[in-house]
Amino acid sequence: MSDKLSIMSKTWGYKYFRPGQEDIIDAVLAGKDVLALLPTGGGKSLCFQLPALLLDGVCIVITPLISLMQDQVERLKSRGVVAEYINSSMGKREIDNRLDNCVYGKVKFLYVSPERLKTDLFLERVRKMVVNLIAVDEAHCISQWGYDFRRAYLDIADLRPIIPKASVIALTATATKQVQIDICEKLGFGRYETFQQSYASPNLSYSVRMVDD
């Protein structure tokens, strides 16, 4: 507990966990696969970022949008955490250097798209990395996009035999029961736990007003 709270306080300035966060973090630290269903603003990122800081090696974060990658990496860097991202706008040399930093440097988080996992350069380097965790952010995209225009989402589990010691955490703010099952199957979950917090947002209200036009 003291290590978790100490790093959380030092890095993010938080003194307490939000509902569900500590149970998720403990399951990840125990080496289990995890499906975490938390509402928007429920602190999903901390659920993989904190355990990754407590473990040796790099956390590979799979996320669908370049803007999400850049935003999270900049936030981590502003807190003194070494993080990198790779996207399609970068040249081969820059990608090569960032992957080298993950193998030989002090990088703790590498943000990539699911399509990146299938490239020869990435697969060559990831075999040399010490990977402590695979985090799949916005995991509902596996069902929402995987069967349509981003089929790489269905192949994320192909990474697991290459880094068999790394567990997987899938995070989303929205997933029906069927989508939850699909996420766990497509990610090749073995010994896993599911954690779910209410999606209800008591700070939101809806009003209907009758108007002339």
Side-chain angles (χ1 to χ4, degrees):
M1 169 66 82
S2 59
D3 287 342
K4 289 184 294 187
L5 287 176
S6 175
I7 290 180
M8 184 170 67
S9 176
K10 179 180 177 181
T11 307
W12 289 278
Y14 303 144
K15 302 297 183 183
Y16 306 99
F17 290 106
R18 294 183 183 180
Q21 284 183 322
E22 188 173 13
D23 290 337
I24 294 169
I25 290 165
D26 286 342
V28 172
L29 290 173
K32 298 178 182 179
D33 292 334
V34 170
L35 174 60
L37 305 155
L38 298 176
T40 300
K44 291 187 293 295
S45 296
L46 188 76
C47 293
F48 69 85
Q49 290 175 350
L50 180 54
L53 289 181
L54 286 163
L55 298 168
D56 292 333
V58 181
C59 173
I60 296 175
V61 187
I62 301 164
T63 190
L65 301 173
I66 291 176
S67 58
L68 291 177
M69 293 183 198
Q70 294 173 332
D71 180 61
Q72 288 213 21
V73 167
E74 289 306 315
R75 289 187 182 188
L76 285 167
K77 287 182 174 180
S78 72
R79 293 176 170 89
V81 178
V82 184
E84 296 284 7
Y85 65 83
I86 295 173
N87 63 47
S88 56
S89 69
M90 298 163 54
K92 184 177 182 299
R93 178 173 293 183
E94 187 176 7
I95 293 172
D96 202 35
N97 288 338
R98 294 195 181 191
L99 289 173
D100 264 352
N101 290 339
C102 294
V103 176
Y104 304 109
K106 298 180 179 180
V107 174
K108 291 298 297 181
F109 295 93
L110 173 63
Y111 283 73
V112 297
S113 69
E115 289 80 9
R116 181 64 51 187
L117 307 180
K118 301 170 72 69
T119 64
D120 291 338
L121 181 58
F122 178 85
L123 291 171
E124 174 194 338
R125 296 304 177 79
V126 79
R127 287 182 170 89
K128 300 177 181 178
M129 295 179 196
V130 177
V131 179
N132 58 35
L133 182 64
I134 302 168
V136 184
D137 202 8
E138 307 294 344
H140 59 276
C141 292
I142 291 171
S143 286
Q144 185 176 348
W145 293 345
Y147 297 96
D148 192 357
F149 69 102
R150 296 189 72 171
R151 294 192 62 83
Y153 265 104
L154 302 183
D155 299 327
I156 292 173
D158 292 347
L159 189 62
R160 304 201 68 171
I162 300 173
I163 42 177
K165 293 183 179 180
S167 58
V168 177
I169 177 171
L171 308 107
T172 180
T174 173
T176 63
K177 201 67 179 178
Q178 183 178 355
V179 170
Q180 293 175 36
I181 293 169
D182 201 27
I183 290 170
C184 296
E185 287 180 350
K186 295 301 182 293
L187 293 178
F189 276 8
R191 186 171 61 105
Y192 76 93
E193 290 194 47
T194 299
F195 299 89
Q196 182 168 2
Q197 293 292 312
S198 172
Y199 299 144
S201 299
N203 58 317
L204 299 180
S205 65
Y206 296 88
S207 300
V208 179
R209 300 181 185 279
M210 301 301 295
V211 296
D212 293 334
D213 185 352

